[in-house]
Amino acid sequence: MTSSGSEAAGLQLLVGLGNPGEKYAGTRHNVGFMALEQLARRDGGSFKQQGKLQGLLAEVGQGNRRLRLLMPQTFMNESGRSIRAALDWFGFSPQQMLVLVDDMDLPLGKLRLRLSGGAGGHNGLRSTISHLGGQEFPRLRIGIGAPALNPVERKQRTVGHVLGRFSPAEQPALQEVLDEVLAGVDLIQRLGFERAGNRLNGFVAPAAAKLLEQPTA
């Protein structure tokens, strides 16, 4: 990871990707929402529907630590519409934003911070790239594991996997991951993306160690 103007600009907007409504609450695809909800609870923020942003918005922190938290309510495949509207409304650049997104290519318990990149098959990132007209925006990929190792079986089970909920055995690792995401956001605000990435990209949730040692069924 190399330094960029994103560090000088400072983190202003934190976006969690997910699907709206109780039906999808707590699903793997909504882990970005979960992280924002935990951050808002920790820092005393409350989400309110913002029609002009097509999403739920909360604010936390003060001064140069102030952050806007956005949960698009457009459904995953149209996330970019809400993100584009928020960037335009606040006058932020894509480099002042961090997108929190689930990633099947990472096991539960691991994270990957990147300053740019493709969609990697994720419809929420694909929509964001389309509406922003480029891939140059930071994203924190949150591992949710894959439903199978075999490519054919994995494809068949993908929808059920991402729209399913974490098992009781996975809950301790999930909580450690969410705690680390919040610590990572704090670190980005203090030290910038590159130095935060050194920590986040080396993180393995202690409770996930056993899960990581077991081959996926």
Side-chain angles (χ1 to χ4, degrees):
M1 182 181 297
T2 58
S3 299
S4 80
S6 54
E7 294 189 21
L11 180 60
Q12 301 288 332
L13 176 65
L14 201 58
V15 179
L17 297 189
N19 286 308
E22 283 301 312
K23 176 182 177 182
Y24 299 102
T27 60
R28 293 173 188 271
H29 225 15
N30 275 35
V31 73
F33 279 13
M34 293 181 212
L36 289 197
E37 289 164 346
Q38 180 166 315
L39 178 56
R41 283 194 301 271
R42 187 194 74 178
D43 292 354
S46 60
F47 285 95
K48 296 180 176 62
Q49 181 70 44
Q50 297 289 340
K52 60 183 176 290
L53 305 184
Q54 303 174 64
L56 296 171
L57 186 74
E59 293 192 9
V60 296
Q62 295 180 333
N64 61 2
R65 297 294 298 276
R66 186 182 184 190
L67 268 181
R68 279 83 169 184
L69 315 181
L70 175 69
M71 295 194 295
Q73 300 293 289
T74 52
F75 287 94
M76 187 67 82
N77 293 4
E78 292 292 337
S79 301
R81 286 198 286 119
S82 175
I83 293 171
R84 177 79 269 173
L87 291 175
D88 290 346
W89 176 261
F90 290 114
F92 298 150
S93 73
Q95 288 72 38
Q96 292 174 289
M97 167 180 75
L98 177 65
V99 176
L100 306 179
V101 55
D102 62 290
D103 190 339
M104 277 203 319
D105 292 327
L106 286 176
L108 174 64
K110 301 197 78 173
L111 300 164
R112 283 292 178 272
L113 180 64
R114 296 288 184 265
L115 299 183
S116 64
H122 195 285
N123 289 334
L125 286 179
R126 183 178 294 115
S127 173
T128 303
I129 290 168
S130 174
H131 282 271
L132 269 55
Q135 303 178 359
E136 303 296 317
F137 59 89
R139 73 287 307 268
L140 180 60
R141 294 179 176 270
I142 303 171
I144 61 168
L149 295 177
N150 178 280
V152 175
E153 186 181 357
R154 170 176 159 144
K155 186 174 182 180
Q156 291 172 340
R157 294 172 57 186
T158 289
V159 173
H161 181 67
V162 300
L163 296 184
R165 289 174 170 78
F166 293 94
S167 70
E170 292 172 321
Q171 290 297 328
L174 172 63
Q175 188 55 57
E176 290 172 352
V177 166
L178 294 176
D179 290 343
E180 180 67 10
V181 170
L182 267 59
V185 170
D186 293 340
L187 202 58
I188 289 169
Q189 287 189 288
R190 288 192 293 113
L191 302 177
F193 284 101
E194 183 171 7
R195 290 177 68 182
N198 292 336
R199 167 174 164 165
L200 290 168
N201 293 336
F203 173 77
V204 179
K210 293 181 179 178
L211 297 173
L212 295 176
E213 292 167 2
Q214 299 171 359
T216 307

